[in-house]
Amino acid sequence: MHVVETDVLIVGSGPAGAAAALALSTYGVPHIVVTRYSRLTRTPRAHITNQRTMEVLRDLGVEDEVLAKATPQNLMGNTTFCTSLAGEELGRIRSWGNDPLVQAAHDLASPTRMCDMPQHLMEPVLIDAALARGSNVRFSTVYKSFEQDEDGVTVTVEDRLRGDEYQIRAKYLIGADGGRSQVAEDAGLPMGGQMGVAGSINIVFDADLTKYTAHRPSTLYWVLAPGATVGGIGAGLVRCVSPWNEWLIVWGYDVSAGAPDLTEEYALSVVRQLVGDDDIPVTIKSSSAWTVNEMYAETYANGRVLCAGDAVHRHPPSNGLGSNTSIQDAYNLAWKLKLVLDGTATPKLLDTYDAERAPVGKQIVTRANKSIGETAPIFEALDGLSPQTPEQLWANIEARKDATEAAEKQRAALREAIAYKVYEFNAHGVDLNQRYTSDAIVPDGTPDPGFDRDRELYHQPSSRPGAKLPHAWITSGTRTVSTLDTVGRGRFTLLTGIGGEIWLRAAQAQPLDIATVVVGPGQQYEDPYGDWARLSEVSEAGALLVRPDGYVAFRHADAAGNAEQLLTDALRRILGHG
Ligand code: FDA
């Protein structure tokens, strides 16, 4: 059988596989992507793109293109609860950084803005850039099986155009083949949780809904209507794909009864119910059934086979974490593969992928499923959970307008229940507070300060090893750049200040290429606002060693006589030579 050779084989061209291809091509690692279909996804699927993902895309050079194609943050933020788009509004919550206080937190946390980038627009940006940088993408090619030995992985694939099979011999295999991952199954990755918790239907359609949405611009409009608590993701959802003409409805079904027949007539009836205005012309584009899952892999790797994205964490779209986490998995993995493949690091570095990302996967699966449950109090406030006729539900909703004590209580309960959805729609900490513990992180002996405020809601910057480098605006001549712009691009970076020359010499003495950054008056970068002095948490003569993915790997509070030894020891541990 014909055998093709490469360093890394990626199965899948969704957000995880496409981001892996982009990062590996940026780092110059030879690789092949195989993907089942003849094209990238046609349906909008995942869309919320958080600040951490935008930082990753900024480092990989595609941030501007994504922003140009995405719906901007300011049109995302009036998450609305209603009886239908044309019906009564029950309340709103400012979301996705659009609350003024949260917006300030977003501005302080990152040089990037979150946006709404539907998956059918995101995948081509990632794959086109990867192709331009040398990625080899084989469409209509299906992964069938793998065998691994000490030196590599032999993968059998099927060419769907020719109808025959061939083999690809790679040093490493990335299984980015989604929620039904065959690679994860063949690798025997142990999974926790369960699949098929509830049934959901996606209906994509065109309709001009400007008159119901432009005055309360939002990505999400939730519909509380009869039948909306059956299956699904908490309530009926009308999601904006492109303001205000392209939409995606998520509607539940009873998973024990099986998915309904997805005829155009059925899809249209759901659209009519949730939009509530039969005069608006509607064109159904597609409909598909899927299930809400609550499953995560306990480990992400087996030898030379490493899985990423939905292959290892399967959860509903609540909190918008699917493609974000998938892209961030790939970004965590790619630089490690590069350093192992070019001999800078030993394969032990790859063990840290699992150690760092598996806890994140478990956390986001749990968070997303919890968010579904947190919609129930909105129905409860309207006595809308118990079995009833549509007339009863409408009467309950109407009753909240009465001038009675009971109605006043109902209004308060409704406001409180909607406000609590902040954990789904404005959870800045869930997006940014990951802390890694692994052999690629060298503890500095300081006690873990924990989080001052709710760690899911509020981002807390830290330069402690295992945290992402804090963002601060600094200057270089007339240019203002983020501290995050001084790191990345596949390299380690050492940051220090005036008095930190010994750290610079220590970095230059290392066998690997380490970028150096000095911040201070008259230096390469200056800190005119004093933000970096406040956020760096080390003295000016101290040092932070930042990994290619922007995470602090090592820090030292001040100048150290044995800086070279300290840095050498740290890098030996990080690179798996210890
Ligand atoms: P993803 O599933 O995107 O990609 C898997 C890739 O592997 C695909 O390219 C596929 O063709 C390929 N593949 C699979 N098996 C293969 C094989 N044997 N050989 C070769 N290639 C293979 N999220 C959200 O936030 N909001 C939403 O509305 C939705 N809606 C939605 C609808 C549908 C129908 C799906 C399937 C998923 C969603 N999601 C979603 C989830 C979101 O799309 C998901 O979290 C990300 O796409 C995960 O990215 P991955 O790259 O891990 O998998």
Side-chain angles (χ1 to χ4, degrees), residues 25 52 81 109 149 187 216 249 267 289 296 405 482 538 540 552:
S25 60
R52 181 57 195 150
F81 296 85
D149 53 50
R216 47 181 177 181
I249 276 180
Y296 50 86
E405 210 177 303
S482 167
V538 289
E540 291 182 62
V552 178

Side-chain angles (χ1 to χ4, degrees), residues 12-16 35-36 45-46 119 141 143 177 202 239 309-310 317 322:
S13 57
T35 187
R36 180 187 291 275
R45 300 190 184 181
Q119 196 170 325
T141 304
Y143 160 88
D177 49 340
N202 275 9
R239 166 193 147 191
D310 275 17

Side-chain angles (χ1 to χ4, degrees), residues 228-286:
T229 54
V230 178
I233 54 173
L237 173 64
V238 184
R239 166 193 147 191
C240 180
V241 175
S242 178
W244 307 107
N245 296 302
E246 189 179 359
W247 301 88
L248 186 155
I249 276 180
V250 183
W251 185 245
Y253 66 87
D254 178 359
V255 76
S256 63
D261 195 4
L262 297 180
T263 58
E264 181 153 341
E265 192 187 357
Y266 173 79
L268 203 54
S269 72
V270 175
V271 173
R272 292 286 182 225
Q273 184 185 355
L274 271 63
V275 171
D277 179 345
D278 293 356
D279 292 336
I280 295 212
V282 171
T283 308
I284 303 288
K285 294 168 90 169
S286 69

Side-chain angles (χ1 to χ4, degrees), residues 507-525:
Q508 280 147 12
Q510 301 303 319
L512 84 159
D513 171 35
I514 300 178
T516 53
V517 169
V518 184
V519 185
Q523 305 300 314
Q524 177 189 10
Y525 294 99

Side-chain angles (χ1 to χ4, degrees), residues 368-377 421:
N369 278 282
K370 203 167 162 215
S371 290
I372 291 185
E374 288 169 357
T375 303
K421 293 298 288 177

